[in-house]
PDB file of all heavy atoms in Angstrom:
ATOM      1  N   ALA P   8       0.881  -1.084   7.816  1.00  0.00           N
ATOM      2  CA  ALA P   8      -0.182  -2.147   7.743  1.00  0.00           C
ATOM      3  C   ALA P   8      -1.313  -1.954   8.633  1.00  0.00           C
ATOM      4  O   ALA P   8      -2.551  -2.095   8.338  1.00  0.00           O
ATOM      5  CB  ALA P   8       0.439  -3.519   7.863  1.00  0.00           C
ATOM      6  N   ASP P   9      -0.924  -1.442   9.899  1.00  0.00           N
ATOM      7  CA  ASP P   9      -2.104  -1.150  10.908  1.00  0.00           C
ATOM      8  C   ASP P   9      -2.925  -0.082  10.397  1.00  0.00           C
ATOM      9  O   ASP P   9      -4.181  -0.047  10.526  1.00  0.00           O
ATOM     10  CB  ASP P   9      -1.424  -0.722  12.249  1.00  0.00           C
ATOM     11  CG  ASP P   9      -0.805  -1.978  12.958  1.00  0.00           C
ATOM     12  OD1 ASP P   9      -1.086  -3.076  12.596  1.00  0.00           O
ATOM     13  OD2 ASP P   9      -0.053  -1.718  13.981  1.00  0.00           O
ATOM     14  N   ALA P  10      -2.390   1.020   9.779  1.00  0.00           N
ATOM     15  CA  ALA P  10      -3.143   2.010   9.289  1.00  0.00           C
ATOM     16  C   ALA P  10      -3.991   1.706   8.125  1.00  0.00           C
ATOM     17  O   ALA P  10      -5.199   2.174   8.017  1.00  0.00           O
ATOM     18  CB  ALA P  10      -2.230   3.305   8.851  1.00  0.00           C
ATOM     19  N   LEU P  11      -3.466   0.830   7.290  1.00  0.00           N
ATOM     20  CA  LEU P  11      -4.340   0.380   6.095  1.00  0.00           C
ATOM     21  C   LEU P  11      -5.511  -0.398   6.570  1.00  0.00           C
ATOM     22  O   LEU P  11      -6.695  -0.233   6.197  1.00  0.00           O
ATOM     23  CB  LEU P  11      -3.376  -0.572   5.250  1.00  0.00           C
ATOM     24  CG  LEU P  11      -2.435   0.203   4.295  1.00  0.00           C
ATOM     25  CD1 LEU P  11      -1.405  -0.858   3.742  1.00  0.00           C
ATOM     26  CD2 LEU P  11      -3.147   0.920   3.148  1.00  0.00           C
ATOM     27  N   GLU P  12      -5.276  -1.321   7.606  1.00  0.00           N
ATOM     28  CA  GLU P  12      -6.264  -2.139   8.030  1.00  0.00           C
ATOM     29  C   GLU P  12      -7.419  -1.251   8.741  1.00  0.00           C
ATOM     30  O   GLU P  12      -8.656  -1.529   8.674  1.00  0.00           O
ATOM     31  CB  GLU P  12      -5.799  -3.211   8.977  1.00  0.00           C
ATOM     32  CG  GLU P  12      -6.802  -4.185   9.567  1.00  0.00           C
ATOM     33  CD  GLU P  12      -6.187  -5.294  10.420  1.00  0.00           C
ATOM     34  OE1 GLU P  12      -5.442  -4.923  11.419  1.00  0.00           O
ATOM     35  OE2 GLU P  12      -6.302  -6.417  10.021  1.00  0.00           O
ATOM     36  N   ALA P  13      -6.949  -0.368   9.557  1.00  0.00           N
ATOM     37  CA  ALA P  13      -7.924   0.491  10.327  1.00  0.00           C
ATOM     38  C   ALA P  13      -8.810   1.367   9.408  1.00  0.00           C
ATOM     39  O   ALA P  13      -9.905   1.614   9.714  1.00  0.00           O
ATOM     40  CB  ALA P  13      -7.109   1.428  11.295  1.00  0.00           C
ATOM     41  N   ALA P  14      -8.209   1.587   8.220  1.00  0.00           N
ATOM     42  CA  ALA P  14      -9.004   2.497   7.256  1.00  0.00           C
ATOM     43  C   ALA P  14      -9.808   1.553   6.201  1.00  0.00           C
ATOM     44  O   ALA P  14     -10.401   2.013   5.269  1.00  0.00           O
ATOM     45  CB  ALA P  14      -8.159   3.400   6.453  1.00  0.00           C
ATOM     46  N   GLY P  15      -9.778   0.222   6.438  1.00  0.00           N
ATOM     47  CA  GLY P  15     -10.626  -0.624   5.648  1.00  0.00           C
ATOM     48  C   GLY P  15      -9.928  -1.267   4.484  1.00  0.00           C
ATOM     49  O   GLY P  15     -10.547  -1.765   3.550  1.00  0.00           O
ATOM     50  N   PHE P  16      -8.678  -1.113   4.425  1.00  0.00           N
ATOM     51  CA  PHE P  16      -7.771  -1.649   3.210  1.00  0.00           C
ATOM     52  C   PHE P  16      -7.108  -2.947   3.614  1.00  0.00           C
ATOM     53  O   PHE P  16      -6.912  -3.288   4.933  1.00  0.00           O
ATOM     54  CB  PHE P  16      -6.711  -0.749   2.787  1.00  0.00           C
ATOM     55  CG  PHE P  16      -7.344   0.532   2.223  1.00  0.00           C
ATOM     56  CD1 PHE P  16      -7.428   1.703   2.883  1.00  0.00           C
ATOM     57  CD2 PHE P  16      -7.800   0.568   0.859  1.00  0.00           C
ATOM     58  CE1 PHE P  16      -7.877   2.872   2.396  1.00  0.00           C
ATOM     59  CE2 PHE P  16      -8.188   1.727   0.292  1.00  0.00           C
ATOM     60  CZ  PHE P  16      -8.351   2.906   1.066  1.00  0.00           C
ATOM     61  N   ASP P  17      -6.666  -3.828   2.712  1.00  0.00           N
ATOM     62  CA  ASP P  17      -5.953  -4.982   2.981  1.00  0.00           C
ATOM     63  C   ASP P  17      -4.485  -4.510   3.530  1.00  0.00           C
ATOM     64  O   ASP P  17      -3.931  -3.683   2.921  1.00  0.00           O
ATOM     65  CB  ASP P  17      -5.833  -5.607   1.520  1.00  0.00           C
ATOM     66  CG  ASP P  17      -5.005  -6.979   1.643  1.00  0.00           C
ATOM     67  OD1 ASP P  17      -4.307  -7.258   2.689  1.00  0.00           O
ATOM     68  OD2 ASP P  17      -5.039  -7.742   0.699  1.00  0.00           O
ATOM     69  N   ARG P  18      -4.105  -5.147   4.565  1.00  0.00           N
ATOM     70  CA  ARG P  18      -2.783  -4.864   5.073  1.00  0.00           C
ATOM     71  C   ARG P  18      -1.598  -4.963   4.172  1.00  0.00           C
ATOM     72  O   ARG P  18      -0.664  -4.290   4.286  1.00  0.00           O
ATOM     73  CB  ARG P  18      -2.556  -5.796   6.307  1.00  0.00           C
ATOM     74  CG  ARG P  18      -3.458  -5.575   7.469  1.00  0.00           C
ATOM     75  CD  ARG P  18      -3.077  -6.489   8.588  1.00  0.00           C
ATOM     76  NE  ARG P  18      -1.800  -6.371   9.106  1.00  0.00           N
ATOM     77  CZ  ARG P  18      -1.478  -5.577  10.192  1.00  0.00           C
ATOM     78  NH1 ARG P  18      -2.408  -4.777  10.668  1.00  0.00           N
ATOM     79  NH2 ARG P  18      -0.251  -5.465  10.610  1.00  0.00           N
ATOM     80  N   ALA P  19      -1.782  -5.845   3.153  1.00  0.00           N
ATOM     81  CA  ALA P  19      -0.700  -6.182   2.192  1.00  0.00           C
ATOM     82  C   ALA P  19      -0.687  -5.275   0.981  1.00  0.00           C
ATOM     83  O   ALA P  19       0.118  -5.608   0.087  1.00  0.00           O
ATOM     84  CB  ALA P  19      -0.741  -7.620   1.820  1.00  0.00           C
ATOM     85  N   ILE P  20      -1.557  -4.377   0.912  1.00  0.00           N
ATOM     86  CA  ILE P  20      -1.651  -3.505  -0.337  1.00  0.00           C
ATOM     87  C   ILE P  20      -0.285  -2.981  -0.746  1.00  0.00           C
ATOM     88  O   ILE P  20       0.107  -3.019  -1.893  1.00  0.00           O
ATOM     89  CB  ILE P  20      -2.688  -2.411  -0.131  1.00  0.00           C
ATOM     90  CG1 ILE P  20      -4.044  -2.907  -0.409  1.00  0.00           C
ATOM     91  CG2 ILE P  20      -2.385  -1.225  -1.136  1.00  0.00           C
ATOM     92  CD1 ILE P  20      -5.118  -1.688  -0.192  1.00  0.00           C
ATOM     93  N   ALA P  21       0.395  -2.406   0.242  1.00  0.00           N
ATOM     94  CA  ALA P  21       1.639  -1.694  -0.216  1.00  0.00           C
ATOM     95  C   ALA P  21       2.652  -2.582  -0.752  1.00  0.00           C
ATOM     96  O   ALA P  21       3.457  -2.185  -1.692  1.00  0.00           O
ATOM     97  CB  ALA P  21       2.224  -1.035   1.158  1.00  0.00           C
ATOM     98  N   ASP P  22       2.641  -3.915  -0.468  1.00  0.00           N
ATOM     99  CA  ASP P  22       3.638  -4.764  -0.980  1.00  0.00           C
ATOM    100  C   ASP P  22       3.308  -5.102  -2.397  1.00  0.00           C
ATOM    101  O   ASP P  22       4.223  -5.538  -3.199  1.00  0.00           O
ATOM    102  CB  ASP P  22       3.562  -6.078  -0.190  1.00  0.00           C
ATOM    103  CG  ASP P  22       4.069  -5.959   1.232  1.00  0.00           C
ATOM    104  OD1 ASP P  22       4.815  -4.999   1.510  1.00  0.00           O
ATOM    105  OD2 ASP P  22       3.616  -6.694   2.190  1.00  0.00           O
ATOM    106  N   ARG P  23       2.077  -4.890  -2.858  1.00  0.00           N
ATOM    107  CA  ARG P  23       1.810  -5.270  -4.195  1.00  0.00           C
ATOM    108  C   ARG P  23       1.963  -4.216  -5.286  1.00  0.00           C
ATOM    109  O   ARG P  23       1.739  -4.448  -6.445  1.00  0.00           O
ATOM    110  CB  ARG P  23       0.212  -5.733  -4.215  1.00  0.00           C
ATOM    111  CG  ARG P  23      -0.010  -6.877  -3.365  1.00  0.00           C
ATOM    112  CD  ARG P  23      -1.407  -7.535  -3.785  1.00  0.00           C
ATOM    113  NE  ARG P  23      -2.528  -6.706  -3.479  1.00  0.00           N
ATOM    114  CZ  ARG P  23      -3.178  -6.734  -2.233  1.00  0.00           C
ATOM    115  NH1 ARG P  23      -2.828  -7.584  -1.390  1.00  0.00           N
ATOM    116  NH2 ARG P  23      -4.244  -5.957  -1.965  1.00  0.00           N
ATOM    117  N   ALA P  24       2.279  -3.061  -4.750  1.00  0.00           N
ATOM    118  CA  ALA P  24       2.405  -1.898  -5.771  1.00  0.00           C
ATOM    119  C   ALA P  24       3.657  -1.029  -5.447  1.00  0.00           C
ATOM    120  O   ALA P  24       3.592   0.231  -5.609  1.00  0.00           O
ATOM    121  CB  ALA P  24       1.187  -1.128  -5.704  1.00  0.00           C
ATOM    122  N   MET P  25       4.718  -1.598  -5.023  1.00  0.00           N
ATOM    123  CA  MET P  25       5.918  -0.811  -4.625  1.00  0.00           C
ATOM    124  C   MET P  25       6.457  -0.011  -5.860  1.00  0.00           C
ATOM    125  O   MET P  25       6.715   1.202  -5.696  1.00  0.00           O
ATOM    126  CB  MET P  25       6.951  -1.644  -4.048  1.00  0.00           C
ATOM    127  CG  MET P  25       8.116  -0.969  -3.488  1.00  0.00           C
ATOM    128  SD  MET P  25       7.679   0.095  -2.130  1.00  0.00           S
ATOM    129  CE  MET P  25       7.210  -1.107  -0.877  1.00  0.00           C
ATOM    130  N   PHE P  26       6.646  -0.670  -6.955  1.00  0.00           N
ATOM    131  CA  PHE P  26       7.250   0.008  -8.104  1.00  0.00           C
ATOM    132  C   PHE P  26       6.187   1.075  -8.713  1.00  0.00           C
ATOM    133  O   PHE P  26       6.667   2.105  -8.993  1.00  0.00           O
ATOM    134  CB  PHE P  26       7.621  -0.976  -9.204  1.00  0.00           C
ATOM    135  CG  PHE P  26       8.763  -1.891  -8.770  1.00  0.00           C
ATOM    136  CD1 PHE P  26       8.523  -3.275  -8.582  1.00  0.00           C
ATOM    137  CD2 PHE P  26       9.997  -1.442  -8.469  1.00  0.00           C
ATOM    138  CE1 PHE P  26       9.491  -4.112  -8.156  1.00  0.00           C
ATOM    139  CE2 PHE P  26      10.972  -2.241  -8.129  1.00  0.00           C
ATOM    140  CZ  PHE P  26      10.777  -3.603  -7.867  1.00  0.00           C
ATOM    141  N   ALA P  27       4.980   0.814  -8.787  1.00  0.00           N
ATOM    142  CA  ALA P  27       4.127   1.729  -9.264  1.00  0.00           C
ATOM    143  C   ALA P  27       4.036   2.991  -8.301  1.00  0.00           C
ATOM    144  O   ALA P  27       3.851   4.141  -8.690  1.00  0.00           O
ATOM    145  CB  ALA P  27       2.689   1.143  -9.519  1.00  0.00           C
ATOM    146  N   GLY P  28       3.981   2.638  -6.994  1.00  0.00           N
ATOM    147  CA  GLY P  28       4.028   3.658  -6.047  1.00  0.00           C
ATOM    148  C   GLY P  28       5.175   4.607  -6.112  1.00  0.00           C
ATOM    149  O   GLY P  28       5.047   5.877  -6.029  1.00  0.00           O
ATOM    150  N   ALA P  29       6.373   4.083  -6.315  1.00  0.00           N
ATOM    151  CA  ALA P  29       7.613   4.878  -6.455  1.00  0.00           C
ATOM    152  C   ALA P  29       7.558   5.769  -7.669  1.00  0.00           C
ATOM    153  O   ALA P  29       7.943   6.998  -7.593  1.00  0.00           O
ATOM    154  CB  ALA P  29       8.825   3.956  -6.525  1.00  0.00           C
ATOM    155  N   GLU P  30       6.994   5.244  -8.738  1.00  0.00           N
ATOM    156  CA  GLU P  30       6.954   6.067  -9.963  1.00  0.00           C
ATOM    157  C   GLU P  30       5.922   7.196  -9.810  1.00  0.00           C
ATOM    158  O   GLU P  30       6.211   8.307 -10.170  1.00  0.00           O
ATOM    159  CB  GLU P  30       6.490   5.152 -11.149  1.00  0.00           C
ATOM    160  CG  GLU P  30       6.545   5.880 -12.523  1.00  0.00           C
ATOM    161  CD  GLU P  30       5.313   6.712 -12.864  1.00  0.00           C
ATOM    162  OE1 GLU P  30       4.243   6.407 -12.374  1.00  0.00           O
ATOM    163  OE2 GLU P  30       5.487   7.660 -13.620  1.00  0.00           O
ATOM    164  N   ARG P  31       4.793   6.888  -9.272  1.00  0.00           N
ATOM    165  CA  ARG P  31       3.848   7.984  -9.009  1.00  0.00           C
ATOM    166  C   ARG P  31       4.111   8.928  -7.979  1.00  0.00           C
ATOM    167  O   ARG P  31       3.945  10.185  -8.082  1.00  0.00           O
ATOM    168  CB  ARG P  31       2.396   7.302  -8.496  1.00  0.00           C
ATOM    169  CG  ARG P  31       1.419   8.287  -8.185  1.00  0.00           C
ATOM    170  CD  ARG P  31       0.846   9.093  -9.302  1.00  0.00           C
ATOM    171  NE  ARG P  31      -0.034  10.116  -8.881  1.00  0.00           N
ATOM    172  CZ  ARG P  31      -1.272  10.092  -8.868  1.00  0.00           C
ATOM    173  NH1 ARG P  31      -1.919   8.974  -9.247  1.00  0.00           N
ATOM    174  NH2 ARG P  31      -2.070  11.172  -8.459  1.00  0.00           N
ATOM    175  N   TYR P  32       4.998   8.569  -6.992  1.00  0.00           N
ATOM    176  CA  TYR P  32       5.529   9.396  -5.855  1.00  0.00           C
ATOM    177  C   TYR P  32       6.314  10.553  -6.528  1.00  0.00           C
ATOM    178  O   TYR P  32       6.231  11.737  -6.219  1.00  0.00           O
ATOM    179  CB  TYR P  32       6.214   8.574  -4.906  1.00  0.00           C
ATOM    180  CG  TYR P  32       6.705   9.245  -3.697  1.00  0.00           C
ATOM    181  CD1 TYR P  32       5.786   9.949  -2.830  1.00  0.00           C
ATOM    182  CD2 TYR P  32       8.091   9.303  -3.305  1.00  0.00           C
ATOM    183  CE1 TYR P  32       6.235  10.510  -1.627  1.00  0.00           C
ATOM    184  CE2 TYR P  32       8.478   9.875  -2.233  1.00  0.00           C
ATOM    185  CZ  TYR P  32       7.585  10.535  -1.335  1.00  0.00           C
ATOM    186  OH  TYR P  32       8.011  11.156  -0.123  1.00  0.00           O
TER     187      TYR P  32
END
């Protein structure tokens, strides 16, 4: 979350796309 925020993203992005992220990974 700290890295997301430092790069200008919403800290909660990862929580919203866990399943899609796993499939793409």
Side-chain angles (χ1 to χ4, degrees):
D9 286 348
L11 283 164
E12 185 175 54
F16 294 98
D17 183 344
R18 290 177 65 88
I20 278 180
D22 298 332
R23 296 199 292 270
M25 187 61 67
F26 293 112
E30 189 277 332
R31 175 65 191 265
Y32 187 57

